Amino acid sequence: MRRYVMCAGNSEPRLKLNFVGLAEIADLLGVSKQVVANWRSRKEDFPSPRQTLRSGPIWALDDIVAWAESEGIDVHLDTVAREENDDIARPAVIAAVMNMKGGVGKSTVSANVGWYAAVMRNLRVLLVDLDPQFNLSQYVLGAERYQKLLESGEPRIDALFPAPGFSPTPIRKLIRKVQEWDDGSCLHLVPASLELAWNMRLATERAHVLRDALENVRDDYDLILIDCAPTESILSTATYLASDWIVVPVKPEYLSAIGVPLLLKSLKAFGETHSNEKVPDVAGILFNDVRDRVEHNRARRFVRDQAELNDLPIFTHALSHSDSYPAGARQGKPIFWTDNARTVRKDELGEVGKEFLSRIGL
C-alpha cells in the first residue's frame, strides 16, 4: 500500500511508494482481480510490471492510470488514498549490496543508505551483516557498542548457520534495535562476527536458511539491506536466494572494477544451477569513494564499458571520498550526523539515497 510520510524540511507529504500490486489495481479500477488478470493476458497494451518481487509483480501507478484513461476506464484514486491510512504495509523490498572484490565500500554504502532510509524517508529498515569481517556491524553500532555486543555473548548471524545437527536460531532473536522513532520507522541490525566464516564451512547445504529467516520478518520492515561478503561462497548463494535486487558499489580503481564481471559470472552460474529460482535484478552500479584521479577516470571507463556490454544501469549519482565516513564508522553515525562532515558530502548521500530507493521501487 502507499503511505504518505513527512520528510525533514518539507511540510508537504511525499509519496513513500508509487507502485501497486494486482489487488490494488483491481480496487483502483473498480473490478475484480480476475478481470485484471484477463486484461493482462488479452490486451497487448496493458502495462508490463516494473518488477516481479517474491511477493508478486508490481506496476508503476502512473502506468496503470495512463492505460486506464486511454481505455476509458474510471480510475478510483480515492480508493488508493483511503489505503494510505491502513496499517497494512507491503512486504519489505530486499536489496543486497554486493561486489566480488573487497575494499569497495559495501559497508559504508549499506550503513549510510540504511540510515538515510530510516531518518530521511521514515522507513522501517533492517540491515543484515552477511560478511565475516563484520564492518557493517561496527559501522552501525560504533566500535565501543559492538565490543559490548561481543562481550555479552548475544547471538549473531552465524547462529542462523549452526553446525549439522543443530537448529538455526530464530532471526528475531538476532535483531538488535539500533534506533526507533515514534512514527514506527526504525533502524535494526542483524550483526555478524568472525564466527560466521567458521560456521559457513559446515553449512554447505543451508543457503536457503537466510531467505527463510527474512521471509519471517519481511512484513515488519519496508527495506532489508544485506551487506555481503566479497567472495564466491555459500553466502553469495544465500544472498541470491533471499534478494530482489543487487546494488554493486565500485571504487573506481582497477582491482575494484574487475569485481563487476566476476559478480556477473557468479549471477549467471546461480541462474544455471538454480533454474527454478528467480535471479535478482541488478539495480545499478554505484561509484563510491570517487576522487579526481587519472586511475579513477580510467577505471570508470572500464566499468562503463562492462555495463554497456551487459546492459547494466549505472547510478547517476556517486559518493565522493570523504574522511567523514570512517569518522562516522567510529562513532556509529551516518555522515549527516558526523561531526565536521561537509554539507556537500551530506547532500551527495541524499542524492544517492534517493536514487537507490527509487531504483528498487521505494
Side-chain angles (χ1 to χ4, degrees):
M1 310 296 175
R2 295 194 307 155
R3 289 191 298 168
Y4 284 104
V5 296
M6 301 302 295
C7 301
N10 186 355
S11 60
E12 294 296 324
R14 185 168 63 182
L15 286 177
K16 172 188 161 185
L17 288 177
N18 198 27
F19 292 83
V20 289
L22 190 66
E24 292 163 307
I25 294 173
D27 289 342
L28 184 68
L29 304 184
V31 297
S32 68
K33 288 193 291 184
Q34 184 58 51
V35 170
V36 178
N38 290 342
W39 285 340
R40 287 188 67 191
S41 62
R42 299 173 185 174
K43 292 183 176 290
E44 294 182 357
D45 61 341
F46 190 85
S48 299
R50 290 297 184 93
Q51 176 64 22
T52 300
L53 306 180
R54 297 184 191 278
S55 55
I58 57 174
W59 288 260
L61 177 60
D62 290 344
D63 290 350
I64 295 299
V65 171
W67 177 82
E69 290 176 346
S70 71
E71 294 284 323
I73 299 171
D74 291 337
V75 179
H76 304 278
L77 286 172
D78 59 319
T79 302
V80 179
R82 285 197 300 271
E83 293 175 344
E84 291 160 3
N85 295 319
D86 286 353
D87 291 330
I88 301 172
R90 185 182 301 281
V93 175
I94 302 178
V97 181
M98 195 172 194
N99 191 325
M100 288 300 172
K101 173 67 178 69
V104 299
K106 293 183 291 81
S107 300
T108 297
V109 170
S110 299
N112 281 276
V113 169
W115 274 109
Y116 169 85
V119 176
M120 303 300 183
R121 294 289 296 275
N122 305 81
L123 300 184
R124 300 167 300 164
V125 179
L126 175 64
L127 300 176
V128 178
D129 194 345
L130 201 64
D131 188 341
Q133 297 184 47
F134 55 86
N135 290 328
L136 176 64
S137 300
Q138 284 191 313
Y139 199 126
V140 173
L141 296 175
E144 183 177 342
R145 191 174 173 185
Y146 180 74
Q147 186 59 37
K148 289 181 179 178
L149 172 67
L150 294 181
E151 294 171 354
S152 73
E154 294 180 352
R156 301 169 295 275
I157 198 167
D158 52 276
L160 273 183
F161 305 95
F166 293 87
S167 298
T169 299
I171 192 169
R172 294 185 192 280
K173 293 186 177 181
L174 309 181
I175 295 173
R176 302 290 165 257
K177 298 177 181 178
V178 180
Q179 194 150 345
E180 297 181 331
W181 291 269
D182 292 341
D183 65 356
S185 57
C186 64
L187 185 72
H188 292 171
L189 169 73
V190 177
S193 70
L194 284 172
E195 292 297 320
L196 178 60
W198 173 258
N199 282 24
M200 296 315 298
R201 295 173 59 192
L202 307 173
T204 54
E205 302 300 324
R206 298 191 177 186
H208 65 282
V209 170
L210 177 66
R211 175 192 61 197
D212 296 346
L214 293 181
E215 287 297 326
N216 287 334
V217 297
R218 192 163 185 166
D219 288 340
D220 298 342
Y221 298 97
D222 302 303
L223 171 64
I224 298 176
L225 276 180
I226 305 173
D227 183 30
C228 305
T231 54
E232 176 66 32
S233 70
I234 189 175
L235 292 178
S236 51
T237 302
T239 297
Y240 299 148
L241 287 171
S243 302
D244 301 312
W245 296 94
I246 303 290
V247 174
V248 189
V250 173
K251 186 176 181 179
E253 296 174 348
Y254 178 69
L255 291 178
S256 170
I258 62 175
V260 176
L262 292 176
L263 175 59
L264 294 175
K265 183 178 180 180
S266 175
L267 279 167
K268 181 179 179 182
F270 171 80
E272 291 172 348
T273 57
H274 296 78
S275 56
N276 60 331
E277 300 286 350
K278 181 181 182 298
V279 179
D281 290 315
V282 177
I285 295 171
L286 170 62
F287 287 116
N288 180 52
D289 198 24
V290 175
R291 307 187 197 203
D292 188 17
R293 292 178 175 175
V294 172
E295 168 62 20
H296 279 212
N297 294 333
R298 184 181 300 119
R300 271 184 283 190
R301 287 195 295 271
F302 171 78
V303 172
R304 292 185 186 280
D305 289 342
Q306 289 290 319
E308 184 174 352
L309 284 172
N310 293 280
D311 195 26
L312 296 177
I314 294 179
F315 274 62
T316 303
H317 300 91
L319 295 175
S320 301
H321 174 80
S322 173
D323 292 336
S324 292
Y325 284 114
R330 289 190 294 272
Q331 300 171 33
K333 294 180 180 179
I335 192 171
F336 52 81
W337 283 349
T338 302
D339 297 338
N340 301 318
R342 295 171 59 190
T343 300
V344 65
R345 297 295 169 248
K346 298 178 185 179
D347 292 344
E348 199 173 65
L349 173 66
E351 293 299 329
V352 167
K354 179 193 288 186
E355 184 176 1
F356 190 112
L357 297 181
S358 175
R359 284 179 177 269
I360 62 173
L362 285 175

